[in-house]
Amino acid sequence: MSLSDHPRAYGTAALTAAFAAGILVTLGFKDLYPELESRYQRRRNRNRSGSEGRSSGPGSTATTTKSRRRSSFFGPVRLEDHDDSVSLVAADRGIVEGIEGCIGNTPLVHIRSLSEATGCVILAKAEFLNGAGNSPKDRVALNMIEAAEDKGLLTPHQGDTIYEGTVGSTGISIAALARARGYRAHICMPDDQATEKSDLLHHLGATVERVPVAPITSPEHFVNLARTRAREHTASGASASRGFFADQFESPANFEAHLKTTGPEIYQQTGGQLDAWVAGAGTGGTISGVAKYLKEERHMTGLRVVLADPHGSGLYNKVKHGVMYSATEREGTRRRTQVDTIVEGIGINRITENFEAGRGLIDDAVRVTDEQACRMARWLVEHDGIFIGSSSAVNCVAAVVTALSLPKGSRVVTVLCDSGTRHLSKFWKRVGDLGLENDAKEESEDLLQELGLPKIMR
């Protein structure tokens, strides 16, 4: 009698044949791909150890049970190659795309010694930890380049060159990012800046022109010269490449970088709980961008925005008195642009578009002497292990002065712009000349006395 006359026997035989075929295929699959089996075992062991490590946390029992149930029911599926790519993505969540990915999300550091001395909480945005040029100018340079690309003013890998006039930090950021994005960099800077800055620019592959100090009215001023060089490049017709003048002092992409990134980061890191924002101004982009975000977009109308300004700069008088003047000069008659200070990066004697963008939001200004900046820089090394440059030291002095004017327990946020390694030959040499690094010097434990500030009774 045939099997077709007995459906039950036919079904049993078919199932037996299918089961045997499944075993043969599985064995053949394993023999053909032995690496998959070993990969499965390694992953299984990792998952098991990971589950055991998580078992101590709250809710871990349910998670472990659920994981085991999935593993036993869908065990063979874990051998598929796509699971390896998923695992790789999970393991690589800390990977960023290029050097640009290292810009932003810098820590907000609680400076303990300054907080203890003032009775307030003093926090500093550690912008020297930006990963391209190690300053807040990384944000600015990247935003200016991206804006130029969007407008078709820069095309990568075509020989285009970015030109900029800078005292250092912006040029360093541009030089690093230019190479990363397929451009060249040409930097014009005053010859009275620390030599380590131009040395670094050279090693980053930039063309560097150190030029004599000149007033902004002169075509030989470092900013005007960079603009001219960019125009000459484009007009030369020697190739299809173009010259792009970044124009950090006047470009809105400067303050917008801080409006879009630095301000939101500070707000998130403090939970919106801050009473004062203190920063110096070179181009004015940092103080303006952050102030605009906090005061205009987050409506923190009670926030006190304070300018930190070195001696010789006219911005202090502009904020305090509405006009940029000194005891001997009327507004607009000053011929020397470089301020009479060893501080680099902040302080200027003209109003830039970036400073003007936030000037109406600035409530006060603090003038800081060179000696106060030097003493603050040394204090932070001795008490907090923080090694900073001149502009950061000015910011910290102004943060202390601001804190002393606020109720006890107030939160003051400032910015650490760059490391002291860029200021060894000038600023830190002055620190040494003042005897502040003398081993025989008795270290002061009174910050206010060290800075020459009066004690304020709250």
Side-chain angles (χ1 to χ4, degrees):
M1 184 181 294
S2 67
L3 286 174
S4 59
D5 294 331
H6 295 277
R8 180 177 297 177
Y10 175 80
T12 302
L15 287 173
T16 302
F19 180 74
I23 292 175
L24 291 173
V25 168
T26 301
L27 291 174
F29 186 78
K30 179 181 176 183
D31 291 338
L32 188 60
Y33 299 105
E35 174 57 25
L36 290 178
E37 173 62 15
S38 61
R39 187 187 303 172
Y40 166 69
Q41 294 297 341
R42 288 197 301 270
R43 191 176 297 129
R44 182 181 181 186
N45 291 335
R46 280 201 305 270
N47 291 339
R48 180 179 299 163
S49 61
S51 298
E52 290 171 357
R54 288 191 297 271
S55 64
S56 59
S60 59
T61 302
T63 303
T64 304
T65 302
K66 187 176 181 181
S67 175
R68 286 174 180 165
R69 189 181 300 125
R70 269 204 311 267
S71 178
S72 59
F73 191 77
F74 293 108
V77 178
R78 297 175 66 87
L79 289 172
E80 294 181 8
D81 263 352
H82 79 271
D83 193 54
D84 190 47
S85 64
V86 172
S87 177
L88 180 64
V89 171
D92 293 347
R93 286 174 182 164
I95 292 178
V96 297
E97 188 63 32
I99 196 66
E100 302 96 320
C102 300
I103 299 173
N105 297 310
T106 54
L108 192 62
V109 180
H110 176 216
I111 306 183
R112 291 188 293 266
S113 72
L114 304 189
S115 301
E116 292 168 1
T118 60
C120 292
V121 177
I122 296 185
L123 308 170
K125 191 79 166 131
E127 287 293 276
F128 63 88
L129 294 179
N130 277 303
N134 310 123
S135 81
K137 298 301 185 181
D138 281 359
R139 302 175 188 263
V140 174
L142 180 59
N143 203 43
M144 291 193 299
I145 292 172
E146 290 180 337
E149 290 173 337
D150 291 343
K151 295 175 183 176
L153 301 175
L154 282 173
T155 304
H157 309 296
Q158 300 297 316
D160 288 357
T161 300
I162 303 170
Y163 292 82
E164 185 58 295
T166 169
V167 297
S169 291
T170 304
I172 292 167
S173 296
I174 286 176
L177 289 169
R179 287 295 183 180
R181 297 178 76 91
Y183 305 110
R184 299 182 182 278
H186 186 120
I187 306 300
C188 299
M189 64 186 303
D191 61 6
D192 63 349
Q193 299 301 294
T195 57
E196 45 265 43
K197 294 182 181 180
S198 54
D199 289 345
L200 180 54
L201 282 165
H202 172 73
H203 292 305
L204 285 170
T207 298
V208 184
E209 278 191 77
R210 287 180 69 98
V211 301
V213 174
I216 189 64
T217 53
S218 168
E220 299 304 313
H221 182 274
F222 65 99
V223 173
N224 296 333
L225 190 60
R227 182 187 290 108
T228 300
R229 295 283 188 260
R231 188 184 304 120
E232 291 172 345
H233 179 139
T234 302
S236 69
S239 68
S241 66
R242 291 169 292 183
F244 168 69
F245 175 51
D247 199 14
Q248 60 163 330
F249 287 89
E250 311 302 333
S251 171
N254 183 339
F255 82 80
E256 287 170 357
H258 298 290
L259 175 68
K260 294 189 299 183
T261 64
T262 318
E265 286 174 27
I266 289 173
Y267 186 85
Q268 187 273 331
Q269 288 168 322
T270 61
Q273 301 301 307
L274 66 156
D275 301 286
W277 159 240
V278 180
T283 63
T286 304
I287 191 170
S288 292
V290 173
K292 285 178 74 66
Y293 178 80
L294 295 176
K295 279 196 168 185
E296 293 181 349
E297 297 201 8
R298 286 296 179 174
H299 309 293
M300 298 179 66
T301 55
L303 178 74
R304 192 163 185 78
V305 178
V306 180
L307 170 73
D309 211 34
H311 268 228
S313 172
L315 298 180
Y316 171 88
N317 287 316
K318 194 69 174 178
V319 171
K320 297 287 282 188
H321 308 294
V323 289
M324 190 174 290
Y325 70 93
S326 69
T328 57
E329 296 171 309
R330 292 179 294 105
E331 184 173 14
T333 63
R334 176 184 281 267
R335 298 292 297 173
R336 176 176 168 80
T337 301
Q338 296 301 300
V339 297
D340 304 318
T341 177
I342 60 169
V343 174
E344 297 178 349
I346 59 174
I348 196 172
N349 282 296
R350 70 182 191 275
I351 299 297
T352 66
E353 289 296 326
N354 280 283
F355 186 78
E356 188 63 28
R359 184 162 66 92
L361 303 175
I362 300 175
D363 302 292
D364 202 0
V366 174
R367 176 170 280 168
V368 179
T369 68
D370 284 354
E371 183 172 344
Q372 285 176 319
C374 289
R375 291 183 178 277
M376 173 58 78
R378 189 60 200 162
W379 173 278
L380 289 173
V381 168
E382 289 295 329
H383 295 82
D384 300 276
I386 297 174
F387 184 53
I388 54 173
S390 56
S391 58
S392 302
V394 169
N395 287 343
C396 288
V397 173
V400 167
V401 173
T402 300
L404 294 174
S405 70
L406 296 172
K408 193 171 183 178
S410 298
R411 272 188 167 189
V412 178
V413 177
T414 190
V415 56
L416 302 180
C417 305
D418 60 7
S419 165
T421 55
R422 291 185 187 171
H423 301 262
L424 298 176
S425 64
K426 190 174 177 181
F427 178 70
W428 276 94
K429 183 177 182 302
R430 178 65 179 275
V431 173
D433 291 344
L434 289 172
L436 301 178
E437 296 179 303
N438 191 330
D439 291 339
K441 178 183 177 295
E442 184 176 343
E443 298 297 337
S444 172
E445 294 301 322
D446 188 331
L447 175 64
L448 303 187
Q449 181 181 5
E450 186 74 8
L451 299 176
L453 298 175
K455 292 186 181 295
I456 294 180
M457 303 297 294
R458 290 188 177 96

